[in-house]
Amino acid sequence: MPDIKSKLTNNNLRNLTNAIICLEDSIADSELILAEHNVIHELRLIDQGFEKGVISEHELPLLFLRIRNVEQLQKLAEQLGSTIGLFTGIVFPKCTTSNAENFLACLQDINRYYSTYLYALPILETKEIIYTELREQELTSLYKLFKEYEDTILTIRVGATDFTSLFGLRRPGNRTVYDIKLVSDCLTAVLNQFTRQEDNFIVSGPVYDYFSSQNHAITTDDLNGFEAVLWNEVQLDIDNGFFGKTCIHPSQIDIVNAAYIVPKEIYDDARLIVGNKDETNGVLRSSARNKMNEVKPHYNWALKILTQAEIYGVLKENVTSLDFLQHIKNVQLTRRLKINN
C-alpha cells in the first residue's frame, strides 16, 4: 500500500482509533524489502506532516508495527531513527518462549536509546500454544516472562488463523471461532492463564477474516451474513473475557466498537455494586428488578464494566447496541448519498 499516510489521515476512516501496519504474513516474501522501504517512506511523510502542522495528533490513529522477528525490528529502528516514536507499539507474531525474551529485551533497548516508550503486543498463535501436550508448560513459562515485562505489554493477542492452519483447517464465514472446538479449547486456556483478576493483562479477540462491502442493514436473523456472524462472535468474545478485537476491513470497525458500548442496565448494576461496597457486601436488588447483584462475587466484574463504560460509553435506556450500530450505518448511508448527489 503506497499511500498509508493518506489512508490514515483526512478522516478517511472516521471511527478508527488505532491501526497496525503489517510486515508479516500479509506481505509476500518477495516483496518484503519493498514493503519495508515503503513503511519508512510513509512514516517520514507523516512525521513531516506533523512538523509542518498539516497533520494533527488527533487526526492520526495510534500506530502499531507488526514485524517478523527481532532482527527486522532492529534494522527498521536504525533506519527510522527517532521517527520510530510515531508508533505506539510493536506487534510480535508467533510469540513463544524461544523468542519472546529477546523481543522484549530488544524493545526495551530501543525505548532507552530513542527515549520513547513502545509497547509490546505479543501474539500467541503457534503449535506450542494449541498442541495440548505442549500448552500448559508453554503458557506457564510465557506467563512468568510476561509478568517481568507487565508494564510493557499493552495487550496479548491470539491468532486463530494460524491455529487452524496447523490442522489444515479454515473456518467457514458462517461460523464463529467458538464453533471450531480445537481453537476454542485453546482460547479458553489462554484466557484462563492471562485474564485472572490479580493480573493486569488484557487479551484481545482473534481476527474474523471475512467482511462485507455491502452497506445493508444488519439483523440478528441474517445468520449467514458476515456482519451478523462477526456481531455474534464479538458478543462471545466479551462474554468469555476478551477485550477488543483486531479488524481486517473498515466495515468491521463500527461492529466491534458498537458491541463494547455498555447497556444502561448493565452500567447501573455496576455502579450500584461499586457504590455500595463500603456500606454492604451482601445482596443488592438491581434497579431493573430482574437480577441479584451480590457485591462480593460481582465486584471485580463491576470494576471492569465501569472501565469499559469510560472507554466506549453507555447506551441510553431502552437502546440496544444493535440499535446503535444500525443508527451509525444509517448516518453513513445518508452522508454518502449527500456526497453522491
Side-chain angles (χ1 to χ4, degrees), residues 46-55:
I46 292 172
D47 199 26
Q48 291 169 11
F50 279 133
E51 292 178 357
K52 296 177 181 178
V54 296
I55 301 177

Side-chain angles (χ1 to χ4, degrees), residues 6-32:
S6 61
K7 286 281 187 181
L8 296 178
T9 55
N10 303 317
N11 287 320
N12 286 324
L13 299 170
R14 292 175 179 270
N15 297 326
L16 181 70
T17 57
N18 56 80
I20 297 172
I21 297 174
C22 181
L23 287 172
E24 202 230 354
D25 285 347
S26 65
I27 303 297
D29 294 342
S30 60
E31 297 178 332
L32 181 59

Side-chain angles (χ1 to χ4, degrees), residues 151-170:
D151 292 340
T152 302
I153 296 175
L154 184 63
T155 188
I156 297 168
R157 301 177 63 221
V158 288
T161 303
D162 279 54
F163 283 153
T164 54
S165 173
L166 290 166
F167 297 93
L169 300 174
R170 179 177 186 177

Side-chain angles (χ1 to χ4, degrees), residues 19 33 76 92 101 108 121 125-126 156 246 270 272 279 308 317 339:
I33 300 301
L76 290 174
F92 187 57
E101 188 165 13
Q108 284 197 336
L121 290 82
E125 54 184 349
T126 63
I156 297 168
T246 302
L272 180 70
E279 297 180 12
Q308 184 176 331
E317 194 167 3
I339 293 174

